Amino acid sequence: MRGTEDPMSRLHNRLRIDKDDLDEELIEHPTLIEDVGMQHALAMSDYEAQKEYLKHIAGRIESASIDRLQRGGVTKPTASQRDNAIEADEEWQRERAKLLKMSRTMNEWLALKEAFIARGYALHNLTGLAIARMKADGGMSEFGGPSRDGTRR
């Protein structure tokens, strides 16, 4: 079932930290950050490409509307007339809706990326607490290894 999960859901589900397996969490965290960062970069790239495509469509529609209005006797079409022609076009509306969806997706990836950055800080703090607990219990020497005699140092 895991293979059918979309990348955002899969990564979102990895935000939770298993406090009983901090070693593994620390090892996997950089890869998770990279994954979410790459997804965010792809979403940004898709958004920018769609924005440029929408500008191209708007330019084409504007040129056609100016020609049509001038053939109809309007010598100098107003900005409002040009904008209305663009906004009334079905292709422009469809592509604008795609742009808005891409914007939302890009922002969702950004929010997830920021959540993973916060997860990194939480991992750092949890690791510090675990080390302090082990030292207090006499399970570690001051240099991070297990104490040989089990006494606090």
Side-chain angles (χ1 to χ4, degrees), residues 79-127:
S80 177
Q81 289 171 315
R82 294 188 310 263
D83 290 347
N84 288 341
I86 292 168
E87 292 173 6
D89 185 85
E90 288 180 18
E91 181 185 13
W92 184 86
Q93 291 173 1
R94 195 172 44 252
E95 296 303 323
R96 173 81 172 136
K98 285 182 189 177
L99 180 70
L100 294 174
K101 183 178 180 187
M102 289 176 171
S103 175
R104 186 184 70 243
T105 300
M106 180 180 63
N107 288 327
E108 288 171 351
W109 279 114
L110 176 60
L112 189 57
K113 181 179 162 183
E114 290 172 355
F116 270 96
I117 291 169
R119 182 185 191 268
Y121 291 124
L123 273 171
H124 176 79
N125 291 337
L126 287 169
T127 304

Side-chain angles (χ1 to χ4, degrees), residues 3 15 18 20 27 35 49 55 70 82 87 109 120 125 129-130 132 141 147:
L15 278 171
D18 182 354
D20 296 324
I27 291 167
D35 288 350
K55 285 180 187 176
Q70 286 176 339
R82 294 188 310 263
E87 292 173 6
W109 279 114
N125 291 337
L129 286 172
S141 72
S147 61

Side-chain angles (χ1 to χ4, degrees), residues 44-61:
M44 285 175 46
S45 178
D46 290 346
Y47 172 80
E48 291 299 325
Q50 182 67 13
K51 192 164 72 169
E52 289 302 313
Y53 182 61
L54 194 60
K55 285 180 187 176
H56 169 75
I57 291 171
R60 185 171 33 87
I61 296 166

Side-chain angles (χ1 to χ4, degrees), residues 63-75:
S63 292
S65 73
I66 289 170
D67 290 345
R68 188 178 61 253
L69 288 167
Q70 286 176 339
R71 281 193 310 269
V74 178
T75 55

